[in-house]
Structures are given as C-alpha cells and as structure tokens.
Amino acid sequence: MKKIFLFIAAVCALVACDPTHEDIGNAGHISLDELKAKTSVTVDKAADGQNGNVISCQTLAPVNAKWDIGGKEFISNYAKKKMKLGDYKVILTAICADGTELTAEYPVSCQTITDPLTKYWIYGEDPAVEAPFSPGAWDAAAMRFSSTEGAHFPTISDDVYFGLKTLIIDVSDASPDCKARIMNGWWSARYDDDQDVEVKSGLWEIQITEKMAKDCAKGNGGEGKDLDLMLTSGSCTINSVYYEE
C-alpha cells in the first residue's frame, strides 16, 4: 500500500512540474500588437497645430507598465511629462501576467512650448546669497548635498529623491580635463558605472535613479548617505543647481 501511495505522489509531482499542464489562462499573455492597440502616446497641440511639449502616455492593457520618457522612468499605466523642445523616443516596457516582457517604442517630436517648465531651485537662485564656487579636486564636501556635511549644497528633499527628478547643474569655466565622480557621501556606492564623467561648460544633467534615492534620501526608507558629486581632475565653476517640471 505504501509503494502504491508513493507512486501516485511521484506521478502527481511530475504532472505539476510539466509546463504543458500549466493553464495560465487568456489573461496571462498578450501579443505586442494587442499591447499597441490598447496603448496611446500623445502630445498636446498648440493653436497653430504644432506639437506641444507635454507628452501623455497610457495603456489599458492588463500589464505592469514602465515608461521611459526622455530618460526618466515612470512605473504606472499612465504617465505625463513636460519636456524641452526636441525629438524623443518614448519606450514602454510591459510585463504580462505570465512574466513575458514586451517593448514598444513611440517616436515623439515636441515643437513648441505649450506648458512652460517651472524651475525649482536647489542652489544658486540668488547668487548674492548662494554664490558660484570652484570645487577642489578630491574635496568630497564641496559638492555633497548635505546641509550639515556639505560645503555649499543643501540636503536634497525626499520628494526630489523619490520623485526621481533630473538635477541640472549650471557649469562654467570647465577645463578640458575636468572630470567628476557621482557617488554618495559615504563612498559606499557610485552612480556613474564606475567611470568618472566629463564635466563641460553648460548644463550638466543628472537623472536621480531609484538606487540613488534609496541610498541617499533621509527618510521613507532612504539610508541618508547624501548624493555627492566629487571633482577628480581639472577645474570648473558651479553656478547653480535646479530641476524643471
């Protein structure tokens, strides 16, 4: 009797592991064509018919959706973002219920400003109060975003970190050999693929990632390590830091 029981159990286990017996149902997977049919990526229109600068994305497909809009990610079935003028490629990554991953791309052109971007200052709104400065090479305090341990920049708020904002640093007088490291104030992680980045005069944009937010934010599960931009060679002048929306 015991042998018969063990045989039945073994057969049941084999059937349970056999993928041909798995029924995921119709909702488990959709095709790329079905995803596209249930998805829209639009740009608002100006009075003269030109494409505006607000991109709206939505999918009604039964998937977990992640949008990449101009390098910024949104995990939601709906996303909306104000953009600068230019041509973009919106990328939708959709994960079906059975784990299948689909990718759809949508080219978008923003031709005129219909909704101006608002500038939110982190440093340098009033140069008389927060003056331009030239960080020294290997001075980890010079560009640490910390009101207590940084030399210039204030602590970045959790809303900025977890909002995954794009920081815009106004740089001038950058020498040809100017490079910087994007890390945290504890030197425990880098966010530049372990390669110092070139710093040029103009606007230096840094996209805050989920990893950066979890490491550097003070609350909401953040480890409070502070984002730190450290010059490793050359010289430059930092005029201001802000983000736009």
Side-chain angles (χ1 to χ4, degrees), residues 54-90:
V54 181
I55 300 177
S56 298
C57 309
Q58 183 176 22
T59 183
L60 300 177
V63 296
N64 291 323
K66 180 177 73 174
W67 305 92
D68 182 317
I69 309 176
K72 183 170 183 179
E73 293 185 349
F74 300 82
I75 300 176
S76 174
N77 284 55
Y78 176 79
K80 184 176 182 180
K81 190 175 187 302
K82 288 193 287 186
M83 309 294 292
K84 298 178 182 178
L85 299 186
D87 296 327
Y88 301 93
K89 183 182 292 183
V90 176

Side-chain angles (χ1 to χ4, degrees), residues 35-151:
L35 174 67
K36 291 181 176 179
K38 293 178 179 290
T39 299
S40 64
V41 175
T42 59
V43 183
D44 64 328
K45 295 290 184 179
D48 61 1
Q50 283 191 303
N51 287 349
N53 68 309
V54 181
I55 300 177
S56 298
C57 309
Q58 183 176 22
T59 183
L60 300 177
V63 296
N64 291 323
K66 180 177 73 174
W67 305 92
D68 182 317
I69 309 176
K72 183 170 183 179
E73 293 185 349
F74 300 82
I75 300 176
S76 174
N77 284 55
Y78 176 79
K80 184 176 182 180
K81 190 175 187 302
K82 288 193 287 186
M83 309 294 292
K84 298 178 182 178
L85 299 186
D87 296 327
Y88 301 93
K89 183 182 292 183
V90 176
I91 302 172
L92 168 61
T93 302
I95 301 178
C96 301
D98 68 348
T100 302
E101 186 173 298
L102 303 172
T103 301
E105 298 183 355
Y106 302 85
V108 176
S109 178
C110 297
Q111 302 165 334
T112 188
I113 297 295
T114 48
D115 193 353
L117 291 162
T118 301
K119 186 177 290 187
Y120 296 89
W121 294 93
I122 294 176
Y123 179 87
E125 179 177 11
D126 183 353
V129 178
E130 296 174 328
F133 65 93
S134 297
W138 299 99
D139 181 355
M143 292 190 287
R144 179 171 177 168
F145 288 90
S146 172
S147 300
T148 56
E149 299 181 76

Side-chain angles (χ1 to χ4, degrees), residues 5-230:
F5 175 78
L6 290 174
F7 174 76
I8 294 173
V11 171
C12 291
L14 180 62
V15 171
C17 295
D18 185 351
T20 62
H21 289 78
E22 183 182 0
D23 182 11
I24 61 175
N26 293 332
H29 173 72
I30 63 172
S31 68
L32 183 59
D33 287 341
E34 289 173 316
L35 174 67
K36 291 181 176 179
K38 293 178 179 290
T39 299
S40 64
V41 175
T42 59
V43 183
D44 64 328
K45 295 290 184 179
D48 61 1
Q50 283 191 303
N51 287 349
N53 68 309
V54 181
I55 300 177
S56 298
C57 309
Q58 183 176 22
T59 183
L60 300 177
V63 296
N64 291 323
K66 180 177 73 174
W67 305 92
D68 182 317
I69 309 176
K72 183 170 183 179
E73 293 185 349
F74 300 82
I75 300 176
S76 174
N77 284 55
Y78 176 79
K80 184 176 182 180
K81 190 175 187 302
K82 288 193 287 186
M83 309 294 292
K84 298 178 182 178
L85 299 186
D87 296 327
Y88 301 93
K89 183 182 292 183
V90 176
I91 302 172
L92 168 61
T93 302
I95 301 178
C96 301
D98 68 348
T100 302
E101 186 173 298
L102 303 172
T103 301
E105 298 183 355
Y106 302 85
V108 176
S109 178
C110 297
Q111 302 165 334
T112 188
I113 297 295
T114 48
D115 193 353
L117 291 162
T118 301
K119 186 177 290 187
Y120 296 89
W121 294 93
I122 294 176
Y123 179 87
E125 179 177 11
D126 183 353
V129 178
E130 296 174 328
F133 65 93
S134 297
W138 299 99
D139 181 355
M143 292 190 287
R144 179 171 177 168
F145 288 90
S146 172
S147 300
T148 56
E149 299 181 76
H152 300 278
F153 295 156
T155 298
I156 294 177
S157 71
D158 287 0
D159 288 343
V160 172
Y161 276 126
F162 287 107
L164 305 183
K165 309 300 184 185
T166 299
L167 302 183
I168 303 172
I169 299 98
D170 186 343
V171 180
S172 61
D173 305 317
S175 63
D177 60 341
C178 189
K179 291 186 177 182
R181 182 169 299 178
I182 305 173
M183 61 180 195
N184 64 52
W186 290 14
W187 297 62
S188 61
R190 292 180 63 172
Y191 314 108
D192 50 18
D193 295 325
D194 292 325
Q195 185 170 349
D196 295 351
V197 299
E198 291 187 32
V199 179
K200 300 179 180 180
S201 296
L203 300 180
W204 176 21
E205 297 192 4
I206 297 176
Q207 169 70 54
I208 295 178
T209 64
E210 185 177 1
K211 170 65 174 171
M212 292 162 66
K214 288 181 177 179
D215 287 349
C216 301
K218 297 294 186 183
N220 299 301
E223 296 184 19
K225 295 180 179 179
D226 300 320
L227 180 62
D228 199 344
L229 313 176
M230 184 179 67

